[in-house]
Amino acid sequence: MFYTHLVTKTIAQRELRNDNARVIDEVVSGQTFLVTRNGVPVAELRPVQRPRRRFVPKVELQALTAAGPHLDAAMFRADLDRIVDPSL
């Protein structure tokens, strides 16, 4: 799941306490909140950034490549030869 960061909303501590289920649902959807107490900012509530994967399983890579366009190796080479100067 990828989050689209929305503009930070400011909410009072009381609103967080009274509507915490709604606020958490919005955080899950990507919303960030600045929580205030007596009008003074005291906390930021935001989605956790998930780390990027470093490893893609072989099965997943095979599925992705199988779904992509088929390339004919001979036609691809012919296109390259036609475009690129072979003396390079």
Side-chain angles (χ1 to χ4, degrees), residues 73-88:
M75 288 179 64
F76 181 67
R77 180 60 195 210
D79 287 344
L80 286 178
D81 288 342
R82 193 173 53 253
I83 296 170
V84 178
D85 181 0
S87 66
L88 296 176

Side-chain angles (χ1 to χ4, degrees), residues 10-30:
T10 301
I11 61 170
Q13 176 185 7
R14 176 183 65 257
E15 184 180 350
L16 176 60
R17 182 190 65 225
N18 293 341
D19 296 327
N20 110 27
R22 177 191 56 80
V23 171
I24 294 300
D25 286 343
E26 289 188 43
V27 170
V28 169
S29 298

